[in-house]
Amino acid sequence: MNTATFAAGATAPSLAETSDDALFRKITWRLLPLLFACYVLNYLDRTNIGYAQLQMKDQLSFSDTVFGLGAGIFFIGYAVFEIPSNLMLAKIGVRATLLRIMGLWGLTSAAMMFATTPTHFYVLRFLLGVFEAGFAPGILFYLTLWFPAGRRAKATALFFMGPAAAPLFAGPLAGIVMTSLDGAYGLAGWQWLFLVEGVPSVVLGVAVFFLLSNTPADAPWLNDIEKQRVRHLLEHDLAAHGSHERQTIASALRDGRVWLLGFISFLVILGVYAMAFWQPTMLKGMGLTVLQVGFYSMVPALAGIAAMIIIGGHSDRQGERRWHFAITACVGALGLSLTTLFMKSPVPAVACLALAAIGISSAFTILWTVPGILLSKKAAAAGIALISTIGGCAGLVAPLVVGAIKTATGGFTLSLYLLSGALVLAAVLMLVGLRLHSKPG
């Protein structure tokens, strides 16, 4: 790769495209595996109570409502500190931000092993939300500093493979730890789970500080020509959306499209977190053991990962977001609705949950490529944080509402129908609400 190659971009597009592909493969392999690992641990530490509750609810005498509130209260702290955390990231960079976030959330997650009362449970979950605030939207903002819009969906999909892949580790790990270590050194299996999954976040946070670069200009592993090419492509994005030059943080927060995307995110995340927290209980209710629940949970996770990569890549190639989102959201709704037909049959139920994961994971990935198109770099940090904050409120609502409905009705059927309706509404809002404002991604 040399200066002549980049200079020839206007007259030799195929050569320039090949050079750009190599450049962004290099960037992807440097950044995404590490960010992926961070997101896996993030997802494990915020959702491991979905598995821990299979033991701790009985041992600590927590009702479904207590557990649902404890699961959801995390998002109060998360929502309150989301925007301040992201604004701080824009000033101090991702390295220092991730060191702070991951170190504190890892220690708090491990401290969950000491919870013995609902109050302990609520306080630690709230603090976990405070310390995790800004992680995912911060990384989404970080990706806008490295990837032009036309390559962002695939990069976003690779990042979001973290929470999609986490059940591959979460289920078997939880099953093995909670059964094999139960009673070891006087600790219950659920206590060991919090400890085993909390400490690695602290270690990885330190590694991130030394391995990541805040911007392409700071990256010692890119040469000057590569840095110049990345800067040129990102500036070309700004030129293609000239109004973004004048966009400020305040105007982004006044932009109705930002609030609409936040509500759409809320509707999708209802399904994401309802399944994260209650799927283990649902599967156990079908007669599976804790260990079987862990391994059955791998099937929807694998389906979601494959769909994110394939559909995210297709969305990039087509330069289209709205219909990709709407169709996959409806597929997710169909999968959740069909699950209600097999509440006593694990194999077909898991197949339906896999269909739901295909739709929800893909829709969630594509959704997060849209803010980078609508917002300038100056406004992106606050805008993405606002969208994430609104969407994150679903993390409070979903576990609590599903838990309350389960307590009232004795099952998950009504909840699955409500979550399906939310996904269909999200699809309609994306098609109609952004119809006049969308631009090719």
Side-chain angles (χ1 to χ4, degrees), residues 69 72-81 125-126 129-130 392-393 395-396:
L69 178 59
I73 205 170
F74 163 97
F75 294 94
I76 297 177
Y78 193 89
V80 170
F81 288 89
R125 287 293 296 177
F126 175 80
V130 170
C393 292
L396 170 63

Side-chain angles (χ1 to χ4, degrees), residues 173-319:
L173 180 61
I176 293 170
V177 169
M178 291 171 64
T179 55
S180 63
L181 294 180
D182 190 27
Y185 296 98
L187 298 176
W190 62 269
Q191 292 176 300
W192 278 109
L193 181 65
F194 288 125
L195 181 63
V196 167
E197 293 186 352
V199 173
S201 294
V202 180
V203 176
L204 188 57
V206 175
V208 163
F209 182 79
F210 291 102
L211 296 176
L212 285 185
S213 302
N214 284 328
T215 67
D218 300 328
W221 42 273
L222 290 177
N223 61 43
D224 291 340
I225 297 172
E226 292 168 331
K227 294 176 183 179
Q228 180 182 357
R229 181 58 176 169
V230 174
R231 183 174 66 251
H232 169 76
L233 291 172
L234 294 174
E235 289 174 350
H236 179 73
D237 273 357
L238 280 178
H241 304 86
S243 61
H244 290 183
E245 293 282 4
R246 300 183 296 276
Q247 192 179 49
T248 65
I249 293 173
S251 66
L253 298 182
R254 292 194 300 267
D255 192 333
R257 296 169 299 173
V258 172
W259 292 88
L260 176 61
L261 284 172
F263 183 58
I264 292 172
S265 175
F266 174 87
L267 296 172
V268 175
I269 292 176
L270 283 175
V272 172
Y273 283 111
M275 292 298 96
F277 291 118
W278 289 106
Q279 180 176 285
T281 300
M282 186 187 308
L283 293 176
K284 188 179 181 186
M286 297 177 187
L288 301 178
T289 66
V290 172
L291 191 59
Q292 287 174 324
V293 167
F295 283 97
Y296 270 67
S297 297
M298 295 175 64
V299 177
L302 285 170
I305 292 170
M308 289 170 66
I309 297 173
I310 295 171
I311 297 173
H314 188 267
S315 177
D316 270 348
R317 290 191 297 274
Q318 297 297 314

